[in-house]
mmCIF file of all heavy atoms in Angstrom:
data_model
loop_
_atom_site.group_PDB
_atom_site.id
_atom_site.type_symbol
_atom_site.label_atom_id
_atom_site.label_comp_id
_atom_site.label_asym_id
_atom_site.label_seq_id
_atom_site.Cartn_x
_atom_site.Cartn_y
_atom_site.Cartn_z
ATOM 1 N N CYS A 23 -31.456 -28.025 -10.625
ATOM 2 C CA CYS A 23 -30.914 -27.645 -11.930
ATOM 3 C C CYS A 23 -29.446 -28.035 -12.000
ATOM 4 O O CYS A 23 -28.636 -27.603 -11.168
ATOM 5 C CB CYS A 23 -31.053 -26.147 -12.131
ATOM 6 S SG CYS A 23 -30.138 -25.506 -13.564
ATOM 7 N N SER A 24 -29.114 -28.841 -13.003
ATOM 8 C CA SER A 24 -27.717 -29.171 -13.257
ATOM 9 C C SER A 24 -27.276 -28.424 -14.505
ATOM 10 O O SER A 24 -27.826 -28.673 -15.597
ATOM 11 C CB SER A 24 -27.553 -30.680 -13.449
ATOM 12 O OG SER A 24 -27.870 -31.369 -12.261
ATOM 13 N N PRO A 25 -26.329 -27.499 -14.390
ATOM 14 C CA PRO A 25 -25.914 -26.719 -15.561
ATOM 15 C C PRO A 25 -25.156 -27.579 -16.556
ATOM 16 O O PRO A 25 -24.785 -28.716 -16.277
ATOM 17 C CB PRO A 25 -25.005 -25.656 -14.953
ATOM 18 C CG PRO A 25 -24.476 -26.271 -13.697
ATOM 19 C CD PRO A 25 -25.583 -27.157 -13.187
ATOM 20 N N MET A 26 -24.936 -27.015 -17.721
ATOM 21 C CA MET A 26 -24.130 -27.706 -18.725
ATOM 22 C C MET A 26 -22.717 -27.889 -18.191
ATOM 23 O O MET A 26 -22.223 -27.083 -17.398
ATOM 24 C CB MET A 26 -24.104 -26.903 -20.028
ATOM 25 C CG MET A 26 -25.410 -26.917 -20.797
ATOM 26 S SD MET A 26 -25.344 -25.984 -22.326
ATOM 27 C CE MET A 26 -24.246 -27.017 -23.299
ATOM 28 N N LYS A 27 -22.054 -28.928 -18.652
ATOM 29 C CA LYS A 27 -20.708 -29.212 -18.199
ATOM 30 C C LYS A 27 -19.802 -28.028 -18.492
ATOM 31 O O LYS A 27 -19.813 -27.467 -19.595
ATOM 32 C CB LYS A 27 -20.185 -30.456 -18.920
ATOM 33 C CG LYS A 27 -18.840 -30.943 -18.407
ATOM 34 C CD LYS A 27 -18.435 -32.234 -19.101
ATOM 35 C CE LYS A 27 -17.089 -32.720 -18.578
ATOM 36 N NZ LYS A 27 -16.672 -33.989 -19.235
ATOM 37 N N GLY A 28 -19.055 -27.605 -17.487
ATOM 38 C CA GLY A 28 -18.138 -26.487 -17.673
ATOM 39 C C GLY A 28 -18.747 -25.124 -17.402
ATOM 40 O O GLY A 28 -18.040 -24.116 -17.412
ATOM 41 N N HIS A 29 -20.059 -25.077 -17.162
ATOM 42 C CA HIS A 29 -20.704 -23.802 -16.885
ATOM 43 C C HIS A 29 -20.750 -23.571 -15.376
ATOM 44 O O HIS A 29 -21.208 -24.437 -14.629
ATOM 45 C CB HIS A 29 -22.139 -23.791 -17.426
ATOM 46 C CG HIS A 29 -22.219 -23.728 -18.907
ATOM 47 N ND1 HIS A 29 -23.396 -23.428 -19.568
ATOM 48 C CD2 HIS A 29 -21.287 -23.917 -19.866
ATOM 49 C CE1 HIS A 29 -23.166 -23.441 -20.873
ATOM 50 N NE2 HIS A 29 -21.893 -23.743 -21.080
ATOM 51 N N SER A 30 -20.341 -22.385 -14.957
ATOM 52 C CA SER A 30 -20.309 -22.102 -13.533
ATOM 53 C C SER A 30 -21.278 -20.993 -13.132
ATOM 54 O O SER A 30 -21.285 -20.557 -11.983
ATOM 55 C CB SER A 30 -18.888 -21.710 -13.109
ATOM 56 O OG SER A 30 -18.451 -20.595 -13.868
ATOM 57 N N HIS A 31 -22.084 -20.534 -14.099
ATOM 58 C CA HIS A 31 -23.052 -19.473 -13.815
ATOM 59 C C HIS A 31 -24.452 -20.035 -14.045
ATOM 60 O O HIS A 31 -24.727 -20.624 -15.092
ATOM 61 C CB HIS A 31 -22.839 -18.276 -14.742
ATOM 62 C CG HIS A 31 -21.454 -17.713 -14.681
ATOM 63 N ND1 HIS A 31 -21.097 -16.679 -13.846
ATOM 64 C CD2 HIS A 31 -20.324 -18.059 -15.344
ATOM 65 C CE1 HIS A 31 -19.818 -16.416 -14.011
ATOM 66 N NE2 HIS A 31 -19.323 -17.224 -14.899
ATOM 67 N N VAL A 32 -25.324 -19.841 -13.064
ATOM 68 C CA VAL A 32 -26.685 -20.378 -13.128
ATOM 69 C C VAL A 32 -27.685 -19.246 -12.887
ATOM 70 O O VAL A 32 -27.475 -18.381 -12.033
ATOM 71 C CB VAL A 32 -26.887 -21.497 -12.087
ATOM 72 C CG1 VAL A 32 -28.363 -21.826 -11.924
ATOM 73 C CG2 VAL A 32 -26.128 -22.748 -12.511
ATOM 74 N N TYR A 33 -28.760 -19.278 -13.649
ATOM 75 C CA TYR A 33 -29.821 -18.269 -13.541
ATOM 76 C C TYR A 33 -31.158 -18.987 -13.419
ATOM 77 O O TYR A 33 -31.388 -19.989 -14.092
ATOM 78 C CB TYR A 33 -29.846 -17.374 -14.790
ATOM 79 C CG TYR A 33 -28.481 -16.927 -15.256
ATOM 80 C CD1 TYR A 33 -27.702 -17.757 -16.059
ATOM 81 C CD2 TYR A 33 -27.961 -15.699 -14.898
ATOM 82 C CE1 TYR A 33 -26.437 -17.378 -16.480
ATOM 83 C CE2 TYR A 33 -26.692 -15.297 -15.322
ATOM 84 C CZ TYR A 33 -25.943 -16.146 -16.102
ATOM 85 O OH TYR A 33 -24.687 -15.765 -16.520
ATOM 86 N N TRP A 34 -32.037 -18.456 -12.590
ATOM 87 C CA TRP A 34 -33.389 -18.976 -12.478
ATOM 88 C C TRP A 34 -34.378 -17.918 -12.961
ATOM 89 O O TRP A 34 -34.244 -16.733 -12.642
ATOM 90 C CB TRP A 34 -33.725 -19.351 -11.044
ATOM 91 C CG TRP A 34 -33.070 -20.606 -10.550
ATOM 92 C CD1 TRP A 34 -31.870 -20.722 -9.903
ATOM 93 C CD2 TRP A 34 -33.592 -21.938 -10.647
ATOM 94 N NE1 TRP A 34 -31.609 -22.037 -9.599
ATOM 95 C CE2 TRP A 34 -32.661 -22.801 -10.048
ATOM 96 C CE3 TRP A 34 -34.771 -22.486 -11.178
ATOM 97 C CZ2 TRP A 34 -32.868 -24.188 -9.965
ATOM 98 C CZ3 TRP A 34 -34.969 -23.856 -11.095
ATOM 99 C CH2 TRP A 34 -34.024 -24.688 -10.493
ATOM 100 N N TYR A 35 -35.379 -18.403 -13.723
ATOM 101 C CA TYR A 35 -36.451 -17.546 -14.232
ATOM 102 C C TYR A 35 -37.794 -18.199 -13.898
ATOM 103 O O TYR A 35 -37.900 -19.419 -13.813
ATOM 104 C CB TYR A 35 -36.352 -17.388 -15.756
ATOM 105 C CG TYR A 35 -35.153 -16.608 -16.239
ATOM 106 C CD1 TYR A 35 -33.905 -17.216 -16.351
ATOM 107 C CD2 TYR A 35 -35.270 -15.271 -16.605
ATOM 108 C CE1 TYR A 35 -32.799 -16.504 -16.802
ATOM 109 C CE2 TYR A 35 -34.173 -14.552 -17.064
ATOM 110 C CZ TYR A 35 -32.940 -15.179 -17.157
ATOM 111 O OH TYR A 35 -31.855 -14.468 -17.611
ATOM 112 N N ARG A 36 -38.812 -17.372 -13.781
ATOM 113 C CA ARG A 36 -40.162 -17.877 -13.555
ATOM 114 C C ARG A 36 -41.072 -17.376 -14.675
ATOM 115 O O ARG A 36 -40.991 -16.206 -15.076
ATOM 116 C CB ARG A 36 -40.704 -17.399 -12.202
ATOM 117 C CG ARG A 36 -42.119 -17.843 -11.914
ATOM 118 C CD ARG A 36 -42.513 -17.636 -10.474
ATOM 119 N NE ARG A 36 -42.584 -16.246 -10.072
ATOM 120 C CZ ARG A 36 -43.040 -15.845 -8.897
ATOM 121 N NH1 ARG A 36 -43.437 -16.732 -8.007
ATOM 122 N NH2 ARG A 36 -43.061 -14.569 -8.589
ATOM 123 N N GLN A 37 -41.940 -18.263 -15.150
ATOM 124 C CA GLN A 37 -42.898 -17.903 -16.179
ATOM 125 C C GLN A 37 -44.287 -18.210 -15.660
ATOM 126 O O GLN A 37 -44.688 -19.380 -15.580
ATOM 127 C CB GLN A 37 -42.620 -18.650 -17.484
ATOM 128 C CG GLN A 37 -43.504 -18.209 -18.630
ATOM 129 C CD GLN A 37 -43.081 -18.803 -19.976
ATOM 130 O OE1 GLN A 37 -42.548 -19.920 -20.035
ATOM 131 N NE2 GLN A 37 -43.306 -18.074 -21.062
#
Side-chain angles (χ1 to χ4, degrees):
Chain A
C23 169
S24 295
M26 288 181 69
K27 187 176 180 180
H29 288 194
S30 57
H31 304 267
V32 167
Y33 316 83
W34 286 91
Y35 292 81
R36 178 167 66 173
Q37 186 171 31

